[in-house]
Amino acid sequence: MSSSAAENASKKITLRSSDGEVFEVEEAVAIESQTIKHMIEDDCADNVIPLPNVTGKILSKVIEYCKRHVDAAASASAAKADDKLASASVTDDDLKAFDADFVKVDQATLFDLILAANYLNIKGLLDLTCQTVADMIKGKTPEEIERHSTSRMTSLLKRKRKSEERTNGLLSRTATKIMKFSVLSSSIGGI
Amino acid sequence: MMTNDLPFEIITIILMMLPTDSLVRFQCVCKAWRDLIRDSTFINQHLELRKSKGKGYLLSVLMDYDPDRTFSLLCDKTFEEALEIHIPFQSAEMSLIVIGSCNGLLCLSDTQRYGTALYLCNPYIRRYRIINHPITGVGESSDPKNDSIVLGFGYYDKTDDYKIVRVVASDDEHDDDLDLSSKHCKTAEHTKVDVYSSIANSWKNVVLESFPWSLFDVRSELVVCDSIHWKAFYRDTNEDVLAILTFHLGNETFGHIGLPNYEEDGEDLMEFVGLYKGKLSLFLFHQVDPQHPWQDHFCYLWVMMEYGVESSWTKTLNITVDPGIVRPLVFTRYDEIIFADSEQDLVVCHFDSNTAKIIRLAERGYLNFTSYMDSLVLLEG
């Protein structure tokens, strides 16, 4: 290991998520985020770097991504230095497999990862997550895309309707509510 | 897909990663998406992203008459047929020749009305523009039927302009009976040059003081360092010298580049100019003799290492290409040359490894080949 890598390995950065979770990471991993890198360079990071836009759940995933990529880059360059091109390409395949699994998450998490990658300015993660969304929508029709834009409203309405149906009796109240929903849904333009 | 919950700058990144046909469809999702997809900066960035991902095609066009003409798109790595695209317009004779291709735009001309019936077309998104040029003779008294027309197509990125150059020469001067002295005083009276600009959507005459050139090829799409390049004969006092004529797309002036001295490579060599590893290069080959097809087919590749510096022509490769070349078609982005052999097959030969293989195509016949990239260019029409 080179001396600068040893220095980086020993230096730890503390990150705090929006919900108060604290993560200690190696500096080399932390500076995968250009945002954090500039904070450190500009010396405006004291002991803890607060990240008010990222929850603990998402931050831990982002850290996992960055750590994996930093490790892969280090072993790839070590392999190339030792002239072991075959093992360098194996690392590359492992990383691609990791990336593919990494984005197998629910939509909400995927969107949160995109927002986090954007805020933290991690190009690789932003490209990976955006490409995943691009691949999801490329085969859709414009109507499907447009309809899904109102899906938050739709899913809210669906949840409300289900909870109404669960209440015992009082069909009239349910009927009134359903009527209200259908009026609302027709104004949105068809659910 | 709660795409409305993402900031628009991120939606832009996601849209830029979409394939061209998805973007054409998604114009109707909402106004913001439509405006973005039609924005020329977005279109160019989308194209650059696709180029960097290595998604390219070769477009093949059969030159004979066919009212149901389609273009065949082959993947430029595997040469497998990827797509067939119909030509979005009807041309009276439907016998089209591809002048050039750039950024997903094709410049086409009718073979019967060459140089007068012209089209800019993005077949992938089915957009086209008819650009006609009036049929006029070069001089006052010359008959337009005797004129020979040479075209060039190129993109000038500094102004985002697609240009067509049209060089008309009165054929009278090609008369061999003319003695050399009168050939020498070849003035601009015998040649007329117009340039079409896609931004202006109009033709402009290029003022010439003299034009001592006789163009060899009927078209060119070879653009290096913002200039279109044609193989041409320079009319010197005593003889015609083969050289490269250039037309700068920015300042719209002609220039020239001399060729290296390749006498030692052999006699009866034919020349083909193209781009090799991004540099202007000259490919020399012996056209295969059908009577003696077993003869060795030596080929040479000279590369101009420093553009514009004639002393930098360097003989880079000396290879034997098997089977022999009848008609070279195009240099590809992967350092290969595609040519037609004596069996009318298409062969691709990789320069560095000197491996050749035959490309099997559904269509056979006289083909045009050009590199192609799908894009949204010309979406506005």
Side-chain angles (χ1 to χ4, degrees):
Chain A
M1 236 161 75
S2 66
S3 57
S4 59
E7 276 169 32
N8 279 348
S10 58
K11 194 164 178 216
K12 298 262 193 255
I13 302 288
T14 310
L15 307 169
R16 188 170 61 219
S17 69
S18 60
D19 43 358
E21 255 189 271
V22 171
F23 299 85
E24 202 179 60
V25 293
E26 291 171 10
E27 185 178 7
V29 173
I31 61 172
E32 283 284 287
S33 154
Q34 294 294 307
T35 308
I36 295 176
K37 183 165 184 272
H38 293 144
M39 281 182 187
I40 296 173
E41 282 169 355
D42 295 345
D43 227 5
C44 43
D46 293 326
N47 299 320
V48 181
I49 296 182
L51 300 171
N53 291 2
V54 192
T55 63
K57 171 191 167 197
I58 296 299
L59 187 54
S60 81
K61 281 214 64 122
V62 171
I63 290 169
E64 182 195 351
Y65 174 90
C66 294
K67 188 167 194 333
R68 202 55 150 80
H69 277 248
V70 166
D71 287 347
S75 58
S77 57
K80 278 179 189 147
D82 290 344
D83 219 15
K84 289 178 190 156
L85 289 172
S87 54
S89 71
V90 164
T91 320
D92 208 38
D93 289 339
D94 285 342
L95 198 60
K96 285 199 172 80
F98 168 80
D99 282 354
D101 280 338
F102 187 79
V103 288
K104 284 178 183 157
V105 293
D106 62 84
Q107 214 176 88
T109 307
L110 185 61
F111 276 45
D112 286 337
L113 282 170
I114 289 179
L115 293 168
N118 188 43
Y119 167 65
L120 293 169
N121 199 347
I122 305 171
K123 187 176 190 308
L125 183 58
L126 186 62
D127 283 348
L128 172 66
T129 46
C130 285
Q131 185 67 60
T132 308
V133 176
D135 291 340
M136 278 179 195
I137 67 175
K138 71 181 174 192
K140 292 197 185 296
T141 65
E143 291 77 24
E144 285 172 302
I145 304 234
E146 199 265 330
R147 203 180 304 140
H148 280 118
S149 302
T150 57
S151 65
R152 173 163 272 177
M153 185 69 85
T154 322
S155 56
L156 276 175
L157 289 167
K158 278 189 187 155
R159 278 204 291 274
K160 258 202 141 172
R161 213 182 285 151
K162 279 199 180 123
S163 71
E164 293 298 331
E165 283 163 26
R166 270 191 229 117
T167 59
N168 295 320
L170 298 174
L171 282 166
S172 58
R173 199 197 301 167
T174 315
T176 322
K177 289 268 163 59
I178 289 174
M179 266 186 63
K180 277 192 189 156
F181 291 154
S182 58
V183 166
L184 204 56
S185 66
S186 62
S187 67
I188 293 169
I191 295 167
Chain B
M1 197 74 45
M2 292 172 277
T3 46
N4 273 2
D5 301 326
L6 291 173
F8 201 69
E9 60 180 26
I10 291 184
I11 300 215
T12 306
I13 297 174
I14 294 173
L15 289 182
M16 208 172 291
M17 293 174 169
L18 286 172
T20 308
D21 47 0
S22 301
L23 288 171
V24 174
R25 283 202 319 272
F26 293 169
Q27 285 182 87
C28 54
V29 168
C30 66
K31 189 171 185 307
W33 283 33
R34 184 185 144 93
D35 289 345
L36 177 67
I37 292 168
R38 291 186 156 229
D39 176 69
S40 56
T41 311
F42 176 85
I43 290 175
N44 285 340
Q45 285 175 342
H46 173 257
L47 175 66
E48 287 308 311
L49 188 61
R50 291 187 73 69
K51 276 186 192 167
S52 70
K53 283 186 186 168
K55 293 182 194 301
Y57 299 101
L58 285 167
L59 186 132
S60 120
V61 196
L62 260 183
M63 271 181 63
D64 55 5
Y65 168 67
D66 182 356
D68 298 319
R69 169 146 340 274
T70 56
F71 293 136
S72 212
L73 286 185
L74 313 176
C75 167
D76 68 357
K77 278 198 197 117
T78 63
F79 305 107
E80 280 164 12
E81 274 212 27
L83 212 38
E84 257 198 19
I85 311 182
H86 284 267
I87 300 180
F89 56 86
Q90 286 290 318
S91 140
E93 287 85 13
M94 287 309 282
S95 179
L96 292 170
I97 182 171
V98 177
I99 308 305
S101 160
C102 186
N103 294 348
L105 263 196
L106 290 177
C107 177
L108 304 157
S109 184
D110 221 292
T111 52
Q112 303 302 316
R113 293 178 293 154
Y114 188 71
T116 51
L118 291 160
Y119 306 86
L120 272 184
C121 168
N122 183 338
Y124 207 88
I125 61 172
R126 305 188 58 77
R127 288 283 190 279
Y128 65 94
R129 199 191 277 184
I130 302 175
I131 307 155
N132 286 333
H133 191 282
I135 305 170
T136 49
V138 172
E140 285 169 5
S141 54
S142 67
D143 184 354
K145 290 206 194 74
N146 288 336
D147 293 341
S148 64
I149 301 178
V150 169
L151 297 170
F153 178 63
Y155 171 66
Y156 189 53
D157 61 356
K158 291 167 186 61
T159 53
D160 195 27
D161 202 357
Y162 294 89
K163 295 192 176 179
I164 305 174
V165 181
R166 185 177 186 271
V167 181
V168 186
S170 158
D171 248 355
D172 302 331
E173 39 148 64
H174 287 209
D175 192 344
D176 286 331
D177 291 340
L178 286 174
D179 62 72
L180 287 171
S181 57
S182 64
K183 263 191 190 173
H184 172 53
C185 25
K186 181 176 170 164
T187 64
E189 287 168 10
H190 295 281
T191 312
K192 191 164 169 287
V193 177
D194 293 311
V195 181
Y196 171 84
S197 145
S198 66
I199 291 178
N201 193 16
S202 63
W203 291 92
K204 192 172 80 175
N205 181 246
V206 174
V207 176
L208 297 171
E209 282 171 4
S210 67
F211 197 78
W213 294 94
S214 181
L215 285 153
F216 205 89
D217 303 316
V218 85
R219 61 194 175 99
S220 172
E221 57 168 335
L222 179 60
V223 176
V224 190
C225 293
D226 297 326
S227 295
I228 305 179
H229 293 62
W230 294 268
K231 228 168 52 178
F233 282 107
Y234 179 76
R235 295 288 182 88
D236 206 353
T237 20
N238 297 316
E239 55 178 331
D240 288 349
V241 179
L242 188 64
I244 297 175
L245 175 67
T246 66
F247 180 81
H248 194 267
L249 291 162
N251 49 39
E252 295 182 352
T253 52
F254 285 97
H256 66 273
I257 294 177
L259 292 177
N261 185 346
Y262 51 87
E263 269 179 23
E264 57 176 29
D265 290 340
E267 289 177 1
D268 297 329
L269 282 168
M270 304 208 53
E271 305 88 358
F272 184 70
V273 183
L275 264 187
Y276 172 72
K277 298 196 176 169
K279 295 192 194 291
L280 184 67
S281 48
L282 176 69
F283 180 68
L284 300 166
F285 64 99
H286 292 282
Q287 192 170 47
V288 73
D289 179 0
Q291 306 297 320
H292 311 282
W294 54 83
Q295 274 177 354
D296 281 329
H297 309 116
F298 291 115
C299 304
Y300 308 90
L301 187 70
W302 288 76
V303 180
M304 187 174 236
M305 304 307 286
E306 213 184 307
Y307 180 77
V309 178
E310 288 176 15
S311 54
S312 74
W313 279 111
T314 311
K315 191 174 359 181
T316 308
L317 288 175
N318 181 344
I319 55 176
T320 312
V321 175
D322 198 21
I325 302 171
V326 169
R327 184 169 64 99
L329 290 164
V330 74
F331 278 36
T332 73
R333 329 198 251 158
Y334 301 106
D335 307 331
E336 301 154 322
I337 184 165
I338 299 181
F339 59 89
D341 69 2
S342 50
E343 307 287 318
Q344 292 228 6
D345 279 324
L346 280 183
V347 182
V348 57
C349 174
H350 186 254
F351 280 121
D352 297 342
S353 63
N354 196 7
T355 47
K357 68 173 193 211
I358 295 183
I359 306 171
R360 296 257 169 249
L361 285 183
E363 301 172 316
R364 295 176 74 85
Y366 199 87
L367 285 171
N368 267 175
F369 242 66
T370 185
S371 59
Y372 186 79
M373 192 85 218
D374 60 287
S375 79
L376 295 161
V377 177
L378 207 63
L379 195 55
E380 293 282 350

